[in-house]
Amino acid sequence: MSLLPALTPVAADQVGSPVLNIGIFAVFVLVTLGIVIKVAGGKKTAGQMYTGGSSFSGRQNGIAIAGDYLSAASFLGIAGAIALQGYDGFLYSIGFLVAWLVALLLVAELMRNTGRFTMADVLSYRLRQRPVRMAAATSVLAVSFFYLLAQMAGAGGLVSLLLGVDGAMAQNIVIAIVGVVMIAYVMIGGMKGTTWVQIIKAILLIAATAVMTFWVLGKYGLNLSSLMQAAIDNNPKAGEKLLEPGLKYGVNMTTKIDFISLSLALVLGTAGLPHVLQRFYTVPTSRQARKSVEWAIWLIGGFYLLTLVIGYGAGALVGPERIAAAPGKANAAAPLLAYELGGSPLLGIVSGIAFATILAVVAGLTITTSATFAHDLYNQVFKRGQATPEQEVKVAKYAALGGGVIAIFGGMLAKDQNIAFLVALAFAVAASANLPTILYSLFWKRFNTRGALWSIYGGLISAIGLIFFSPVVSGKPVDPLTGKSPSMLQNVDFHWFPLDNPGLVSIPLGFLLGFIGTVTSKEFNRAKYAEMEVRSLTGHGVAEALEH
């Protein structure tokens, strides 16, 4: 997804001190593991495993949401996209931020009031439990897998830069190490330990980004215009187009339509991301859930404004050629800028925080997938709600281990992709499969089981199917300088869908199928809808109801 190809074989060049870089990361891992053990030791109930016992305040949860949401895509991918694509790269930030308004206004309080542990608790509340939980679990696992790919890909590229190596084997080893540490966080700490890791990481990430922002601006007299002009001067191929829309998404009609598709996915996807929705259950009341989102919006919005300076700063001080030729390509822009500003010490600190970012987000995703597998599939579907809490927690830990292994191998396959783009694909699947069913469940009285199943499976299959047959997977022309295609698969071409992001087709299709499935079925439980409506507004009795 880089704008410029690798021009010179600098991938193996050493950047900074590998010992210092890895040392800082190791210190962070040891410190956070100690915190995880301290705050989350002892035997865990299902509630403690999945939601930390709903013991966090709105402010704490808002910071943790920011830590969960500001992923490797936000820090590494967006900074690189802005450095190479200018205005079009910043559109990722705008989409990610605007999406929180949808979450705040439509789903945060209602989801907290209606569910207890997982998204499926809400979707299955007034519908037939087993088929809807199975469909919701399938969707959650698919979305989480795409998101995990992005984080693990970021880990491989980042460590290649830190160690001065570009071999596939070295990146694979690093991805495996990240996966093992993440599994340890989840299995030892559960949601409480993971939440504290996310809080610490959010504070460190925002603070480090703020320091780099003012450092960059200081080099240009605190003048943003001077900084942008320097980025233009250092990128003669793009020139003034760095400040205008269209450098990436205005090449032809297909790329313009693709931008609309991407925008839909980003704006609508957040409210359907399962690991974000599960964070609403870590607070005791719906009021605190709303407060969480308010804190998250301010923190996330401020951070994305800082990425604008970081991105153009990398373009001005590092240059597109060095970024595109480094391991991780666009994902290396922020670490390279840190090295340019403060040498090995700042690079080590920033890279350690980037690692923390990846670990925290991956741990949150793993909690979600393990809760989905243990609570929704194992207990509610396979055991028909008869499993003991101890059995459920044990299965959740096994699921975390299995999910971690899958994430490791998936990350090895996707390590050369732009992580901001991989996250955008996860958003597209979430917006297509999850959001229509969530909104219909909360707001449409007539909605029924057939509508839910058609919406989830239809949105999921269409989104993943269109991704598989898109240029993202195969068919992009080989770059003459790198000798590789930007597509995931090399030397094959079976794509027929022209857009990189499927949202423009799959999101409306998810809503349409939910509507058609509902109106073609006579099933409707008026009493259950009335009960859900009261609970979605008040939260009264939901925990007791979901126990049975």
Side-chain angles (χ1 to χ4, degrees):
M1 292 302 297
S2 296
L3 175 68
L4 299 175
L7 301 178
T8 55
V10 299
D13 289 353
Q14 184 173 304
V15 179
S17 167
V19 175
L20 179 63
N21 296 338
I22 300 304
I24 292 174
F25 171 61
V27 169
F28 177 86
V29 169
L30 292 174
V31 170
T32 51
L33 274 176
I35 293 172
V36 165
I37 293 171
K38 184 175 180 179
V39 303
K43 192 175 181 181
K44 296 177 184 63
T45 64
Q48 290 167 340
M49 183 71 181
Y50 305 147
T51 65
S54 300
S55 59
F56 292 96
S57 68
R59 179 175 61 185
Q60 290 173 328
N61 194 46
I63 298 172
I65 287 175
D68 205 359
Y69 193 71
L70 295 177
S71 64
S74 298
F75 184 49
L76 302 177
I78 290 177
I82 293 172
L84 298 179
Q85 298 152 14
Y87 183 98
D88 283 9
F90 188 57
L91 293 173
Y92 279 102
S93 296
I94 297 172
F96 286 144
L97 178 59
V98 172
W100 274 102
L101 296 178
V102 178
L104 173 64
L105 298 174
L106 294 181
V107 303
E109 289 190 50
L110 301 180
M111 290 289 289
R112 171 62 188 81
N113 283 339
T114 310
R116 188 177 179 213
F117 292 149
T118 65
M119 182 184 77
D121 286 342
V122 177
L123 301 188
S124 64
Y125 194 93
R126 60 189 178 99
L127 309 176
R128 283 184 280 133
Q129 288 276 320
R130 297 185 74 213
V132 174
R133 282 191 183 272
M134 187 171 291
T138 302
S139 175
V140 166
L141 295 176
V143 173
S144 299
F145 177 71
F146 275 103
Y147 219 107
L148 280 168
L149 284 186
Q151 308 310 313
M152 304 304 267
L158 180 61
V159 170
S160 293
L161 179 71
L162 299 183
L163 298 180
V165 297
D166 195 27
M169 181 59 68
Q171 292 192 45
N172 289 343
I173 291 173
V174 170
I175 289 171
I177 292 172
V178 170
V180 170
V181 175
M182 167 266 296
I183 292 170
Y185 279 150
V186 173
M187 296 188 71
I188 295 171
M191 178 59 87
K192 182 174 285 189
T194 299
T195 298
W196 279 109
V197 172
Q198 290 167 343
I199 290 172
I200 295 168
K201 165 251 163 163
I203 294 171
L204 291 175
L205 177 62
I206 294 172
T209 306
V211 169
M212 288 178 63
T213 296
F214 286 106
W215 199 331
V216 169
L217 287 175
K219 286 183 171 291
Y220 296 94
L222 298 179
N223 189 320
L224 184 60
S225 297
S226 298
L227 168 63
M228 291 182 169
Q229 186 59 51
I232 292 171
D233 295 339
N234 204 18
N235 191 346
K237 185 172 181 179
E240 295 285 344
K241 292 182 179 179
L242 279 174
L243 305 183
E244 303 169 358
L247 185 58
K248 176 176 174 59
Y249 293 108
V251 178
N252 53 46
M253 185 56 67
T254 299
T255 56
K256 291 178 181 178
I257 295 174
D258 199 22
F259 167 67
I260 297 173
S261 187
L262 171 68
S263 301
L264 276 175
L266 296 184
V267 171
L268 298 179
T270 295
L273 289 176
H275 69 290
V276 170
L277 296 174
Q278 191 164 337
R279 290 231 57 91
F280 297 147
Y281 302 130
T282 64
V283 293
T285 65
S286 61
R287 182 178 181 182
Q288 292 297 312
R290 187 177 186 86
K291 188 176 181 181
S292 298
V293 179
E294 292 169 356
W295 269 87
I297 287 176
W298 282 106
L299 293 171
I300 292 166
F303 177 85
Y304 283 141
L305 289 177
L306 301 180
T307 62
L308 183 66
V309 177
I310 299 295
Y312 279 114
L317 296 172
V318 180
E321 289 84 3
R322 284 179 60 196
I323 294 171
K329 298 180 174 61
N331 304 326
L336 286 173
L337 176 62
Y339 183 66
E340 193 72 23
L341 293 172
S344 295
L346 186 59
L347 173 63
I349 292 170
V350 168
S351 299
I353 292 172
F355 266 124
T357 296
I358 292 167
L359 282 173
V361 175
V362 169
L365 287 163
T366 306
I367 283 280
T368 299
T369 56
S370 63
T372 295
F373 188 87
H375 179 66
D376 295 325
L377 292 180
Y378 172 74
N379 190 1
Q380 299 296 333
V381 175
F382 303 146
K383 291 291 187 178
R384 298 179 182 272
Q386 299 303 308
T388 65
E390 292 77 14
Q391 290 175 322
E392 191 174 312
V393 170
K394 185 177 181 180
V395 170
K397 291 185 175 181
Y398 284 128
L401 180 61
V405 172
I406 293 173
I408 288 170
F409 284 104
M412 291 177 181
L413 294 175
K415 58 182 176 289
D416 292 327
Q417 295 294 310
N418 182 295
I419 50 184
F421 185 74
L422 285 172
V423 167
L425 295 184
F427 274 62
V429 177
S432 304
N434 296 344
L435 185 63
T437 317
I438 290 171
L439 295 183
Y440 282 148
S441 295
L442 293 173
F443 298 109
W444 188 16
K445 181 187 299 186
R446 179 73 174 79
F447 194 54
N448 55 35
T449 301
R450 180 186 291 178
L453 297 180
W454 284 26
S455 178
I456 294 173
Y457 286 126
L460 181 65
I461 292 170
S462 62
I464 293 179
L466 292 177
I467 290 170
F468 185 74
F469 290 108
S470 76
V472 172
V473 175
S474 71
K476 288 188 178 180
V478 173
D479 190 299
L481 292 177
T482 62
K484 294 179 66 177
S485 166
S487 299
M488 289 185 181
L489 301 180
Q490 304 292 311
N491 304 319
V492 293
D493 183 4
F494 50 81
H495 91 279
W496 52 262
F497 184 66
L499 305 181
D500 283 357
N501 194 291
L504 188 62
V505 175
S506 60
I507 295 172
L509 186 61
F511 279 98
L512 178 62
L513 289 173
F515 175 78
I516 294 175
T518 298
V519 299
T520 56
S521 171
K522 296 181 179 179
E523 177 188 350
F524 174 49
N525 190 330
R526 189 179 302 275
K528 198 68 176 175
Y529 172 76
E531 182 181 331
M532 180 176 177
E533 188 175 34
V534 170
R535 284 183 171 152
S536 70
L537 296 174
T538 66
H540 178 69
V542 65
E544 292 79 4
L546 289 169
E547 290 282 3
H548 302 290

